[in-house]
Amino acid sequence: MRGLTDIPLIGLPLTRLLIRLFGPAEINRMQRKKNRRGLIAALSSEDSAIRYQAVEALGSLHDPAVIPSLIRCLTGEKGSDIRWKAAEALGSLGPAAVEPLVMALSSADEDVRWMTALALGATRDSAAVGPLITLFSDPDRFVRGRATAALAMIGPPAVPALTAAITDPDPDLRWGAAVAFGIIHDLSTLPLLIAALGDPVDRVRAEVLAAVAGFGVDAVELLEVQPRGGVPARDADIRRLLAQLDGTRPG
């Protein structure tokens, strides 16, 4: 038998009344009942605590049908806590959320962009890799940093695109690829990073050095067999790294 809140026409007005009267208890009841329609209605509450709880409850449903509502919360809410909860819920929905999240990257709000970047990383979907790499050129430093973290969340599926980025003429892309490789810490990327030593842009070069150094003794073995006498800056980086990593050799 259907409850009153399942009946069209009176359902939503009654749901809103119950939310006003009983607040969190009503949200909990709707979550237990998996009442998607009622939880979406709760997003229009004037009470930010109710909206937050409703977003959290919608995320727990793991239902792709709630994606448009969660996207509206991510891009339209004023409270950063609610927006972040919406991003978290969207990331848990996997590939189904990628396309709507990519559209949200065009937001003029840098907070929306960095939250969206992390949500894309949480999907673990390779379709998110290309859009995330474009964020390496974002004007906001925080957005750029979160894009590298998101790619690291995706991990090995991001490596092919990052491989192309680390040799791109755009230093922003090279920087982002170096940072992401340093976080991913996949041994297969070490030769790419060593090849990128001596980059002419200081901030890129610093990240490449840090990423290579992070491999410790594995880097030493490859660095020692690198040919010298080519690019002076690269030769200097190799010498610097070997001196820095000398203590990582097995006793």
Side-chain angles (χ1 to χ4, degrees):
M1 179 181 295
R2 292 190 301 174
L4 287 176
T5 54
D6 297 320
I7 300 174
L9 300 180
I10 70 167
L12 283 179
L14 180 57
T15 295
R16 293 189 178 107
L17 175 61
L18 290 172
I19 291 168
R20 284 198 300 272
L21 290 174
F22 301 108
E26 179 60 18
I27 300 296
N28 287 335
R29 188 192 71 81
M30 289 190 292
Q31 183 176 6
R32 289 195 304 272
K33 297 278 189 180
K34 301 187 184 300
N35 184 351
R36 182 185 71 207
R37 188 164 172 262
L39 291 170
I40 290 173
L43 297 176
S44 62
S45 171
E46 295 180 359
D47 186 335
S48 62
I50 292 295
R51 296 198 305 276
Y52 180 94
Q53 189 182 359
V55 169
E56 188 172 38
L58 283 168
S60 74
L61 299 182
H62 300 292
D63 182 351
V66 307
I67 289 174
S69 298
L70 292 174
I71 288 287
R72 284 193 292 273
C73 289
L74 172 61
T75 59
E77 265 284 347
K78 293 183 179 178
S80 60
D81 54 344
I82 297 176
R83 286 191 291 183
W84 175 241
K85 183 55 67 173
E88 187 179 71
L90 286 160
S92 72
L93 287 167
V98 170
E99 185 175 350
L101 283 168
V102 169
M103 293 178 66
L105 289 177
S106 62
S107 173
D109 187 330
E110 60 271 15
D111 285 346
V112 172
R113 296 198 304 278
W114 75 254
M115 290 179 188
T116 299
L118 290 178
L120 281 166
T123 68
R124 303 293 200 277
D125 193 303
S126 59
V129 171
L132 285 169
I133 285 178
T134 66
L135 292 184
F136 292 166
S137 300
D138 193 277
D140 186 86
R141 179 177 60 85
F142 204 68
V143 175
R144 296 194 298 270
R146 291 305 178 267
T148 62
L151 285 159
M153 292 165 70
I154 294 173
V159 168
L162 290 170
T163 298
I166 204 164
T167 58
D168 195 275
D170 185 344
D172 289 335
L173 299 193
R174 299 199 305 277
W175 171 87
V179 176
F181 277 152
I183 302 171
I184 291 172
H185 199 70
D186 185 327
L187 196 57
S188 71
T189 67
L190 181 55
L192 301 170
L193 287 163
I194 289 177
L197 290 170
D199 193 282
V201 177
D202 287 345
R203 63 190 179 91
V204 178
R205 189 177 179 186
E207 294 299 339
V208 174
L209 281 165
V212 174
F215 285 94
V217 67
D218 291 320
V220 172
E221 294 172 358
L222 276 180
L223 288 167
E224 287 180 332
V225 298
Q226 294 301 305
R228 313 294 173 83
V231 179
R234 185 170 183 274
D235 293 344
D237 284 349
I238 292 172
R239 288 194 300 272
R240 184 181 312 167
L241 282 165
L242 285 171
Q244 178 182 341
L245 296 172
D246 185 61
T248 66
R249 298 170 186 269

